Amino acid sequence: MRRRDLVARVGLYTVLGAGLLVVVGPFLWAVLSSMKPEAEIRRIPATWWPEVFTLDNYRELLSRLDFPQAFANSAIVAVLTTLGNLAFCSLLGYALAKLRFPGRRALFLVVLGTLMVPSMVTFVPQFVLVSNLGLVNSYGGLILPFLATPFGVFLMRQYLLSIPDELIEAARVDGAGELRIFARIVLPLCGPALATLTILTFLASWNNFLWPLVVATTEDKYTLPVALALYSVGQNRIEYGLVLAGAVAVLLPVVIVFVLLQRHFLRGIATTGLK
Amino acid sequence: MTTHRRLGTAAVLVAALVLGACGRDSGGGEDAAQPVSEGKASGEITVWAMGTEGEKLGAFAQDFMAENPDAKVNVTAVPWDAAHQKIASAIAGKQTPDVSMLGTTWMGEFAKTGALDPTPDGSIEKGAFFPGAWDTTVVDDTSYGVPWYVETRLIYYRKDLAAKAGVTAPTTWDELKSFATAMRDKGGAKWGMNLQPGGTGSWQSFMPFAWSNGGNLTDGDAFTLDSPQVTEALAYYQSFFKDKLSPPTDLSLQGALEQSFINGTLGAFISGPWHVGLLTEQGGAGFKDKFAVAPMPRKQSATSFVGGSNLAVFKDGKNRDGAWKFVSWLSRPEVQIKWYQAVSDLPAVQGAWNDSTLSGDPFLATFGEQLKDAKSPPAIPTWEQVAAVIDGEVEKVAKSNADPAGAAKTMQQRATGIGTGV
Amino acid sequence: MATATAPAKAPAEANATAGARPPYRLRQGLAGWAFATPFTVLFLLFMALPVVASLVMSLTDLRSTDLRTPLAVEFVGLDNYARLLDDTQFRRAALNTAIFVVVGVPLTIAAGLAAASALNSGLVKFRTLFRVGFYLPVVTSIVALAVVWRFLLDPEAGLINNALRAVGVTGPNWLGDPNLALPSIIVMAVWRNFGFLMVIFLAGLQAIPAELYESSRLDGAGRWAQFRYITVPMLRPTLLFGGVVTSIGYLQLFEEPLVMTRGGPLDSTLSVSYHIYNQFGFGNYGYAAAVSYVLFAAIVGLSVLQFRLLGSRD
């Protein structure tokens, strides 16, 4: 038995380690290459460790862009979008999963259907709408269209379906109001799903490029990906050094959010006292 | 029946709600250019410009503001990536700036929306610009902007490999062929000459050969893509792939073009002025002495492609007169030279090229010479789609050995199906 | 064995007689709509309205040249949809997309589920490292990934072909060969996206009560049996979610061909979404919208299929 366990363990680590190498290897190259001069990045065959170590790519980004402003814009938009989604999507997700109300099925189908509409097709109508509402070049225009997303509702509903009804029924029998049940019983059970939704929404908002590019008409409203694209991709040439340095700069906050939240995946029903 | 009509009404209502109620507006073609007021510019002038141009134009405009103390130029830098989408959306939402930089091949489409203001007479002199560049602003006989800067395509070749192969820069089609063969067989290059084997933008690589052979994209409103001249040019283009002189995969797509040229596996390629800088940076010390540029080889003519960017003024902007005054200031020869010194954009105004800054540089002088015989596609709203058709057929000719006559016929058929959209 | 997904048996009837409070059914109906309203208002305005407008767009001959005067266009009924039948490029794109989805979705789900189960098995130390590592490709921008992939896949000197050369094999031109370009894109997509599913599945795995595993272990069930008879059935709602979301994403394959192949060589990596993108770029808004709704229909069809196969009786 012990021997089998050991074999299983060695096998598992080998597979996971190999997987990590395949996934992180290219990524590591990108990080290292962001600290090489342009000519070395483009050289074929490529180098792993920088022959010439330089922070010029980062320095150039910082000096040519209003980095703090773009970072602040991205943070404001991503945080508010995420908070909105957490609130609105968990409310509706709960209602769809656990409450019987007229039109429930239709509402779910409409929301789910919208999730399936290719986003390219709604782009121009959405922009014209935002423009008619006078929201061009405002935080409202950057945030409002993403505040309530079908994706979040679908995620929350599917997760909540797997929470036993008995818990909620018991609280109802005790006379608790629906809002109280939601806040005191349902939400604490949703840790993993809310953590997932936070990461995915934050990431989507943080990386969003086309919408903020079109809605922001002055540079002081540019988000980070938009500002970073300004000088890395030209009419006839791409600056790989700036692309990679920009990618690393954009990535860091998302990785931090992920590391902070990932331990919530560990907490779930197992630790919420459900027997 | 009634349900149908009711549905239709509802649909239009929704559309009106979302898209905003707009009256009919005259499209391009019926526009009459209005004169610009006399005197100095005043008020705020909002400008969109892409990439480096957007970065540098704000500071550059200080001189304009010094000349026009009541005017304030506000420049927003826009990433090249998706700039077309941004401008199209801005037109739909009536959120355009006063002036924007536009890609030369976008003019037909945006002019036809009715969003662009026709170029006023008087302040802007058509004859001052390179004719090929000026043509990119003309949609259905009306000009909607001015060329800002230009670029054209030349042959880049390795001088050292050419010397080894015992050849000099080609001047005719026959010479280009034997040049590429010699670069491969005697010069030691794996590929004698790179020609784009299809894929996005390969029309820019192919059309110079068609133009030099007397071919044309259109004659009036009709496409002429299956003319004998175009077919013959396709066959000539194809021969480089048949004879294994040109690589069948697109080197530029994965950034391998410069490296192949620098390490000597590629003897020559066709590209624009930006490659001088790219090669010098990546080739390391001394590489600048190893390559040179040559004009396009002659058949009936020696015509290249002219690209670059234009400046246009929007009707939905708030400061039309100020906008045109700024555009006309940017078109002055002395300002164009200063702009070249600031961002290395080649002047679209011919007069600027007499300055020693440009005429003294052997690379630039060759580009300047080529610009006198350089063409652009007609400014039609459907151009991008027609271009994609050409790209697709060029790819079949280069990669799957398709019959040039058949490919030309397909181009013609499909282009005619699309129409010019004017 | 009862699963947690089984809906409670008719709670409404059980409570219908409960005294002075408003009728249970009404109370729950009100609560349901109260919970649904904030989302629904925003959703109707910013999502549903543009969707309806774009649907209308697909019935018109709207071109980019009409953008400033969109109401001056003609209704053409289903003409745009009829045009699709003659569009050979669309057919090629549909075939490519179908292959991509049929091969790519199961591969991605398998990889994501394998990673999630392994990391959830309790055996593994350095969990955070693995989780963050596997998630990195998901968060990295596609432009940066394109630079990396280029260095991996270069036919002459890429890392992969260099490795193959070391074992005496001449590697192919991965993205330049019309037969290999699509498979290469599939591998890239799986590589890039399985971390996303891993995160989703990890959350789902947490919702499975540990007691189930413990009691089954007492019954002598091995790891595989546990996976087969506990994990998979209990994970059904999450698997459904992952499958549907991945299919929705993969049917809209776009970014990989955009940055790596531009749909080539010879249209071998042209996807339906790329075709739509091209049509919008060409200014054919009405037609592009029609293609979008055909793609939408395919997405709905595939999702319905998955709901049938994996969904609860809800």
Side-chain angles (χ1 to χ4, degrees):
Chain A
M1 197 61 201
R2 280 193 125 192
R3 204 185 146 78
R4 252 189 79 189
D5 243 27
L6 187 72
V7 171
R9 199 171 286 222
V10 169
L12 191 63
Y13 276 109
T14 314
V15 172
L16 281 175
L20 197 64
L21 204 69
V22 169
V23 173
V24 179
F27 181 79
L28 210 60
W29 184 82
V31 175
L32 287 172
S33 295
S34 71
M35 292 176 274
K36 295 172 188 169
E38 184 75 11
E40 194 183 333
I41 301 173
R42 285 174 175 263
R43 197 183 309 155
I44 298 175
T47 54
W48 267 101
W49 199 255
E51 277 173 17
V52 181
F53 178 86
T54 169
L55 290 176
D56 280 356
N57 293 321
Y58 291 93
R59 224 168 272 142
E60 197 174 337
L61 282 183
L62 281 172
S63 64
R64 288 172 77 178
L65 305 173
D66 190 351
F67 201 87
Q69 177 74 58
F71 191 93
N73 289 341
S74 274
I76 291 169
V77 171
V79 168
L80 291 180
T81 304
T82 307
L83 288 177
N85 270 283
L86 286 176
F88 300 138
C89 297
S90 58
L91 279 172
L92 179 57
Y94 171 67
L96 289 176
K98 298 295 179 193
L99 298 175
R100 320 240 137 196
F101 61 96
R104 175 174 84 139
R105 202 177 152 75
L107 184 59
F108 176 60
L109 289 179
V110 169
V111 169
L112 195 61
T114 311
L115 176 63
M116 299 174 190
V117 176
S119 57
M120 280 180 216
V121 75
T122 54
F123 192 91
V124 170
Q126 220 168 20
F127 179 74
V128 174
L129 172 74
V130 162
S131 152
N132 281 346
L133 293 174
L135 292 171
V136 167
N137 210 29
S138 73
Y139 287 118
L142 291 170
I143 295 167
L144 283 171
F146 300 96
L147 216 45
T149 60
F151 173 84
V153 170
F154 188 29
L155 182 113
M156 293 309 296
R157 174 193 182 261
Q158 291 311 102
Y159 182 83
L160 284 160
L161 277 181
S162 63
I163 285 182
D165 283 354
E166 290 78 4
L167 275 173
I168 298 159
E169 283 308 316
R172 267 188 205 134
V173 170
D174 290 347
E178 292 295 337
L179 199 60
R180 196 183 158 81
I181 296 177
F182 176 74
R184 289 289 162 82
I185 297 179
V186 175
L187 272 189
L189 288 175
C190 286
L194 291 174
T196 310
L197 183 60
T198 303
I199 283 172
L200 298 179
T201 312
F202 187 88
L203 175 66
S205 172
W206 190 261
N207 279 349
N208 198 358
F209 175 71
L210 200 54
W211 182 259
L213 165 72
V214 171
V215 169
T217 53
T218 56
E219 283 162 65
D220 62 325
K221 289 290 188 303
Y222 277 2
T223 57
L224 207 47
V226 178
L228 287 170
L230 270 177
Y231 310 122
S232 56
V233 181
Q235 188 175 17
N236 295 301
R237 55 185 287 183
I238 297 181
E239 305 283 346
Y240 286 142
L242 296 185
V243 167
L244 292 176
V248 174
V250 173
L251 194 68
L252 271 177
V254 189
V255 173
I256 292 170
V257 170
F258 186 79
V259 171
L260 288 179
L261 281 173
Q262 63 87 30
R263 57 185 74 158
H264 285 274
F265 301 135
L266 294 172
R267 247 185 261 150
I269 285 187
T271 56
T272 49
L274 175 75
K275 293 288 164 206
Chain B
M1 274 321 273
T2 32
T3 27
H4 272 193
R5 193 167 306 154
R6 214 175 287 158
L7 270 178
T9 318
V12 173
L13 275 176
V14 168
L17 195 61
V18 176
L19 299 169
C22 328
R24 277 176 185 269
D25 201 321
S26 58
E30 303 144 36
D31 284 325
Q34 304 295 320
V36 172
S37 64
E38 300 283 318
K40 290 187 187 301
S42 62
E44 189 188 2
I45 305 165
T46 54
V47 184
W48 288 357
M50 276 70 101
T52 319
E53 283 77 17
E55 180 185 16
K56 298 281 168 63
L57 186 60
F60 190 78
Q62 290 300 333
D63 288 356
F64 175 79
M65 290 188 266
E67 266 182 47
N68 303 271
D70 294 335
K72 170 115 183 56
V73 178
N74 278 330
V75 180
T76 297
V78 176
W80 262 110
D81 226 9
H84 179 273
Q85 170 90 49
K86 183 176 170 94
I87 293 163
S89 305
I91 290 174
K94 297 205 166 44
Q95 300 287 341
T96 48
D98 296 312
V99 182
S100 180
M101 165 177 169
L102 297 178
T104 52
T105 52
W106 305 349
M107 297 300 290
E109 181 185 3
F110 290 146
K112 195 76 180 134
T113 62
L116 303 184
D117 196 50
T119 316
D121 298 326
S123 55
I124 281 150
E125 193 55 56
K126 168 185 171 180
F129 300 89
F130 285 107
W134 181 264
D135 288 345
T136 64
T137 70
V138 180
V139 182
D140 211 9
D141 297 329
T142 308
S143 165
Y144 291 92
V146 301
W148 188 11
Y149 65 85
V150 291
E151 53 96 346
T152 188
R153 310 296 160 88
L154 296 177
I155 297 171
Y156 285 74
Y157 66 99
R158 285 282 295 261
K159 280 199 286 189
D160 50 344
L161 300 194
K164 199 171 144 201
V167 284
T168 52
T171 58
T172 65
W173 277 23
D174 289 343
E175 280 180 36
L176 180 66
K177 199 71 191 292
S178 55
F179 175 82
T181 314
M183 289 295 261
R184 183 190 62 188
D185 295 347
K186 295 184 218 149
K190 185 177 174 194
W191 304 106
M193 168 96 202
N194 183 67
L195 295 173
Q196 198 181 336
T200 309
S202 52
W203 61 271
Q204 295 174 3
S205 180
F206 167 67
M207 279 315 292
F209 291 100
W211 283 322
S212 297
N213 201 32
N216 256 320
L217 285 159
T218 51
D219 182 10
D221 281 349
F223 286 100
T224 52
L225 286 163
D226 57 351
S227 69
Q229 292 90 337
V230 174
T231 309
E232 196 189 354
L234 262 179
Y236 177 72
Y237 201 82
Q238 183 179 46
S239 70
F240 283 84
F241 297 94
K242 272 189 172 166
D243 300 347
K244 306 247 177 296
L245 293 168
S246 298
T249 48
D250 191 347
L251 296 179
S252 60
L253 198 56
Q254 290 172 52
L257 180 71
E258 298 83 25
Q259 290 298 314
S260 314
F261 188 67
I262 289 164
N263 68 27
T265 44
L266 178 65
F269 64 93
I270 297 176
S271 187
W274 57 89
H275 256 109
V276 176
L278 274 177
L279 292 172
T280 317
E281 282 163 36
Q282 290 179 43
F287 191 71
K288 200 169 183 180
D289 301 328
K290 288 192 185 164
F291 71 94
V293 290
M296 291 300 287
R298 178 169 295 278
K299 185 80 192 290
Q300 286 185 31
S301 67
T303 310
S304 190
F305 163 77
V306 58
S309 282
N310 297 342
L311 291 165
V313 172
F314 289 93
K315 280 186 194 152
D316 292 329
K318 295 182 185 73
N319 191 353
R320 172 185 173 271
D321 285 5
W324 278 117
K325 282 170 189 169
F326 182 56
V327 169
S328 120
W329 178 78
L330 284 171
S331 311
R332 289 187 201 161
E334 69 274 15
V335 177
Q336 290 247 308
I337 292 164
K338 277 190 76 178
W339 183 238
Y340 165 76
Q341 287 162 341
V343 293
S344 305
D345 279 348
L346 299 183
V349 174
Q350 299 200 46
W353 286 79
N354 300 328
D355 191 271
S356 61
T357 328
L358 291 150
S359 57
D361 181 312
F363 284 102
L364 289 181
T366 319
F367 280 104
E369 211 42 52
Q370 183 71 64
L371 277 166
K372 292 176 186 160
D373 190 355
K375 279 194 184 175
S376 53
I380 52 174
T382 54
W383 170 248
E384 295 295 337
Q385 193 170 1
V386 174
V389 167
I390 299 176
D391 290 344
E393 294 308 310
V394 166
E395 182 169 30
K396 286 179 199 156
V397 163
K399 288 186 188 165
S400 25
N401 210 9
D403 170 41
K409 207 168 204 164
T410 311
M411 278 187 203
Q412 175 69 10
Q413 262 170 12
R414 295 189 55 194
T416 307
I418 295 161
T420 59
V422 176
Chain C
M1 191 185 68
T3 69
T5 51
K9 282 203 184 62
E13 279 78 3
N15 284 274
T17 50
R21 289 162 164 278
Y24 182 81
R25 206 180 273 270
L26 177 65
R27 200 160 64 93
Q28 237 191 47
L30 286 175
W33 272 109
F35 280 38
T37 300
F39 181 95
T40 310
V41 169
L42 281 167
F43 169 81
L44 285 178
L45 182 60
F46 286 105
M47 298 258 165
L49 202 57
V51 165
V52 174
S54 67
L55 201 54
V56 174
M57 187 159 92
S58 79
L59 303 175
T60 69
D61 62 356
L62 183 76
R63 289 188 36 84
S64 62
T65 46
D66 304 313
L67 279 178
R68 203 156 155 271
T69 53
L71 294 187
V73 298
E74 304 278 337
F75 270 85
V76 294
L78 295 174
D79 280 9
N80 288 324
Y81 293 89
R83 259 174 73 192
L84 267 170
L85 299 173
D86 298 327
D87 187 341
T88 50
Q89 260 196 322
F90 170 75
R91 271 188 298 215
R92 182 67 206 260
L95 178 69
N96 290 339
T97 308
I99 295 173
F100 178 78
V101 169
V102 167
V103 180
V105 171
L107 275 179
T108 312
I109 291 181
L113 188 57
S117 315
L119 292 179
N120 200 49
S121 68
L123 280 175
V124 180
K125 296 217 168 77
F126 312 116
R127 276 200 201 124
T128 310
L129 175 73
F130 284 114
R131 280 184 193 150
V132 175
F134 289 155
Y135 197 61
L136 275 177
V138 184
V139 297
T140 311
S141 76
I142 187 81
V143 243
L145 291 180
V147 180
V148 180
W149 283 333
R150 158 188 165 265
F151 142 83
L152 286 172
L153 293 171
D154 185 90
E156 304 290 333
L159 195 70
I160 293 176
N161 280 3
N162 268 345
L164 287 175
R165 204 166 295 131
V167 295
V169 181
T170 309
N173 188 346
W174 298 101
L175 295 171
D177 182 333
N179 295 317
L180 285 174
L182 187 60
S184 302
I185 295 271
I186 292 177
V187 173
M188 280 181 221
V190 174
W191 181 88
R192 184 175 170 221
N193 291 306
F194 83 93
F196 169 82
L197 282 182
M198 176 194 75
V199 169
I200 306 261
F201 291 153
L202 271 173
L205 287 171
Q206 296 302 317
I208 303 176
E211 293 82 359
L212 285 177
Y213 289 105
E214 276 159 31
S215 58
S216 75
R217 199 170 306 141
L218 293 178
D219 294 344
R223 281 191 188 285
W224 175 249
Q226 284 183 343
F227 180 78
R228 174 76 183 74
Y229 294 106
I230 299 176
T231 310
V232 171
M234 291 296 289
L235 207 57
R236 238 170 41 163
T238 315
L239 276 174
L240 173 64
F241 174 80
V244 169
V245 169
T246 307
S247 305
I248 292 173
Y250 276 27
L251 273 166
Q252 299 184 60
L253 167 70
F254 172 62
E255 287 189 323
E256 280 86 356
L258 176 75
V259 298
M260 297 308 293
T261 59
R262 302 272 180 87
L266 294 166
D267 288 346
S268 60
T269 58
L270 184 76
S271 66
V272 175
S273 269
Y274 205 124
H275 193 56
I276 295 170
Y277 169 81
N278 280 337
Q279 293 300 327
F280 273 116
F282 298 155
N284 300 325
Y285 279 51
Y287 184 60
V291 184
S292 304
Y293 279 100
V294 171
L295 179 61
F296 167 75
I299 295 174
V300 170
L302 188 60
S303 304
V304 167
L305 190 71
Q306 286 174 314
F307 268 88
R308 285 272 154 80
L309 289 174
L310 284 165
S312 60
R313 282 134 289 175
D314 182 76

